[in-house]
Amino acid sequence: MCKLDWKKCSFLLCLGMSIICSAIYLRTRFVTKPKHLASPSDKPLSTECRAFLPHMEDGVKWYNHKGQVESYILNSCINCSNLIRDLHFITRPLSREEEDYPLAFIVTVHKELELFVRLLRAIYMPQNVYCIHVDAKAPWKYRAAVQKLVSCFNNTFLSSRSETVTYAGFSRLQADLNCMTELARSKVGWRKVVNLCGQDFPVKSNLELVQYMQIERWRDRNMTPGIKQPASMKHRTALQHIEIRGSHVALKGSGLKKGPPPHNLQVYFGTAYYALTRAFVDFVLESPIARDLLEWSKDTYSPDEHYWVTVNHIKEAPGSHIDGGWAGDIRAIKWRDQEGRVHNGCKGHYVRDICIYGANDLPWIIKRNSMFANKFESNTYPEALDCLEQWHRNKVLKQATVPIQQSWLLATQGNCNSYFNSSA
Ligand SMILES: *[C@@H]1O[C@H](CO)[C@@H](O)[C@H](O)[C@H]1NC(C)=O
Ligand SMILES: *[C@@H]1O[C@H](CO)[C@@H](O)[C@H](O)[C@H]1NC(C)=O
């Protein structure tokens, strides 16, 4: 066919593409138009869930739309204004307070598109900025879908360098640093950056995050929960390790010793999750001390669990928080070994000693009121996520100081007006 001259050929190609696009477009518009979302396979949210949704009136039916978010993105030739409306993204800053304190997010993902889309729409606000790191080992189709989605927003982008992230490996830290390099150049005037993974979900609303980060203790400080490296963790940084890309981290040889940390730094041990000021991020990227520590950390075990908290104990680091201990309520996690002390058991099930939440874990998560909760799986316990998502969006809209747009409502509701009337 391409024996035809070039112009005719590209015209035909274009025509063909348009027809296919229009056909798919019409089909998906039909299936995903908000009013058509409720289908016989949808079920009303359970009574357990309704107990957490105080704004709901009796007799109002709420439906979940399993799987449709994913198919929507994968199928359609994206028209962004429709996508933003149909997936219920919030399109205006909801208060002056939030507009004046933009946040940056780093989200590291590799699977479960549906979960990612729902996480993104829960944390998305137009004044913030989002760097998404898609694992280099993710299927191209997954990456393409994420790319399609983020291209609909001018404050959301894919990290231009992708790592093959290995559990406990340096690559995990490198993924965050790739995003930080790009966020440092962003023209959005973000004040703090937080990092998330694909199995997290927010508990606090954007307004509550902004308020929490500005309470006196945290206003100009970085949050990196952690303590002096305990003896039981010494092996992580005392011996040389090697990252088997995409698989695991192993000892190098039969226990080769590492040199001491540079600049006589005391090594700390903490969580891989943080809330950092912009000045601190610049320090991480530019200061020779931070860079030397980074270089030294390359052959350690799980460097993301010592790097941030150790740099945050360097006196010269902007916003450093010397001996802050475990303070900073970033994420609610149910660890198996904290059963009976911190929580009353996992109502879903444990994977690697961390609870995958079931719906009956929600009262604990809500009471705990951390910034985020981890972990969720939309396939194993769909109800837990559906319910938390609905609860979170209700709260977000209730706190808004601008008029609520119809498309920001998540659920298909028998009577959409009742929510507004009852919460006005
Ligand atoms: C997207 O769809 C809307 C209405 O459904 C239409 O007004 C708009 O022109 C479309 N945009 C593009 C780029 O096709
Ligand atoms: C995105 O677009 C909006 C509206 O056009 C504009 O106000 C905002 O500054 C833009 N944001 C970025 C990060 O470019």
Side-chain angles (χ1 to χ4, degrees), residues 157-288:
F157 61 91
L158 284 194
S159 168
S160 52
R161 265 188 59 193
S162 282
E163 308 297 322
T164 301
V165 176
T166 308
Y167 181 76
F170 184 78
S171 51
R172 174 69 192 75
L173 191 50
Q174 187 63 52
D176 275 23
L177 287 162
N178 292 351
C179 271
M180 277 184 190
T181 307
E182 291 178 83
L183 287 171
R185 292 191 217 115
S186 167
K187 66 177 206 280
V188 176
W190 59 267
R191 309 289 292 270
K192 292 228 168 130
V193 60
V194 300
N195 61 343
L196 296 170
C197 74
Q199 290 185 295
D200 292 325
F201 204 82
V203 182
K204 283 188 165 39
S205 65
N206 191 73
L207 178 66
E208 290 166 345
L209 290 178
V210 159
Q211 289 172 342
Y212 183 52
M213 288 186 200
Q214 292 183 92
I215 63 176
E216 201 186 329
R217 172 161 210 172
W218 299 119
R219 191 177 304 143
D220 301 309
R221 287 218 183 92
N222 310 298
M223 200 184 284
T224 58
I227 51 172
K228 271 188 186 150
Q229 189 183 51
S232 60
M233 295 292 166
K234 285 258 189 298
H235 65 97
R236 292 177 160 211
T237 54
L239 301 174
Q240 296 178 32
H241 293 78
I242 181 161
E243 178 168 338
I244 317 294
R245 245 162 58 100
S247 170
H248 64 286
V249 173
L251 273 181
K252 193 167 173 185
S254 51
L256 297 170
K257 282 231 161 61
K258 266 182 78 58
H263 307 280
N264 277 321
L265 290 171
Q266 157 78 46
V267 176
Y268 281 73
F269 162 76
T271 75
Y273 295 88
Y274 50 66
L276 308 173
T277 67
R278 192 160 187 161
F280 182 85
V281 168
D282 291 338
F283 180 85
V284 162
L285 297 173
E286 284 155 21
S287 126

Side-chain angles (χ1 to χ4, degrees), residues 187-409:
K187 66 177 206 280
V188 176
W190 59 267
R191 309 289 292 270
K192 292 228 168 130
V193 60
V194 300
N195 61 343
L196 296 170
C197 74
Q199 290 185 295
D200 292 325
F201 204 82
V203 182
K204 283 188 165 39
S205 65
N206 191 73
L207 178 66
E208 290 166 345
L209 290 178
V210 159
Q211 289 172 342
Y212 183 52
M213 288 186 200
Q214 292 183 92
I215 63 176
E216 201 186 329
R217 172 161 210 172
W218 299 119
R219 191 177 304 143
D220 301 309
R221 287 218 183 92
N222 310 298
M223 200 184 284
T224 58
I227 51 172
K228 271 188 186 150
Q229 189 183 51
S232 60
M233 295 292 166
K234 285 258 189 298
H235 65 97
R236 292 177 160 211
T237 54
L239 301 174
Q240 296 178 32
H241 293 78
I242 181 161
E243 178 168 338
I244 317 294
R245 245 162 58 100
S247 170
H248 64 286
V249 173
L251 273 181
K252 193 167 173 185
S254 51
L256 297 170
K257 282 231 161 61
K258 266 182 78 58
H263 307 280
N264 277 321
L265 290 171
Q266 157 78 46
V267 176
Y268 281 73
F269 162 76
T271 75
Y273 295 88
Y274 50 66
L276 308 173
T277 67
R278 192 160 187 161
F280 182 85
V281 168
D282 291 338
F283 180 85
V284 162
L285 297 173
E286 284 155 21
S287 126
I289 306 181
R291 299 188 68 99
D292 290 346
L293 178 66
L294 188 68
E295 197 54 41
W296 179 82
S297 299
K298 282 189 171 158
D299 59 357
T300 60
Y301 185 89
S302 209
D304 52 347
E305 290 182 340
H306 77 246
Y307 184 71
W308 307 110
V309 59
T310 300
V311 178
N312 202 20
H313 281 80
I314 298 175
K315 260 207 313 300
E316 305 87 84
S320 62
H321 192 34
I322 313 296
D323 295 326
W326 291 106
D329 205 356
I330 300 181
R331 332 161 93 216
I333 298 179
K334 283 188 175 179
W335 293 94
R336 191 199 289 272
D337 65 1
Q338 295 180 342
E339 221 176 280
R341 285 183 295 130
V342 177
H343 61 87
N344 53 351
C346 175
K347 314 298 178 196
H349 71 272
Y350 288 108
V351 172
R352 279 207 197 112
D353 293 335
I354 291 179
C355 182
I356 308 290
Y357 294 124
N360 289 324
D361 288 307
L362 294 185
W364 180 83
I365 293 172
I366 289 170
K367 182 143 174 279
R368 194 57 203 246
N369 198 26
S370 305
M371 289 159 66
F372 306 96
N374 169 284
K375 296 178 166 181
F376 292 92
E377 274 180 10
S378 58
N379 299 327
T380 329
Y381 304 106
E383 182 114 281
L385 191 73
D386 290 348
C387 193
L388 184 62
E389 179 181 48
Q390 193 64 63
W391 173 83
H392 182 264
R393 179 58 65 101
N394 283 2
K395 175 166 76 167
V396 166
L397 296 182
K398 193 156 198 288
Q399 293 170 347
T401 61
V402 300
I404 305 297
Q405 291 176 19
Q406 191 73 42
S407 68
W408 299 347
L409 289 170

Side-chain angles (χ1 to χ4, degrees), residues 25 29 79-82 85:
Y25 170 74
R29 276 296 291 133
N79 171 325
C80 284
S81 53
N82 293 343
R85 179 196 65 203

Side-chain angles (χ1 to χ4, degrees), residues 36-44 62-66 68 412:
H36 295 279
L37 270 174
S39 72
S41 64
D42 291 334
K43 53 179 177 14
W62 294 66
Y63 297 93
N64 55 33
H65 327 298
K66 198 163 155 31
Q68 292 191 24
T412 301

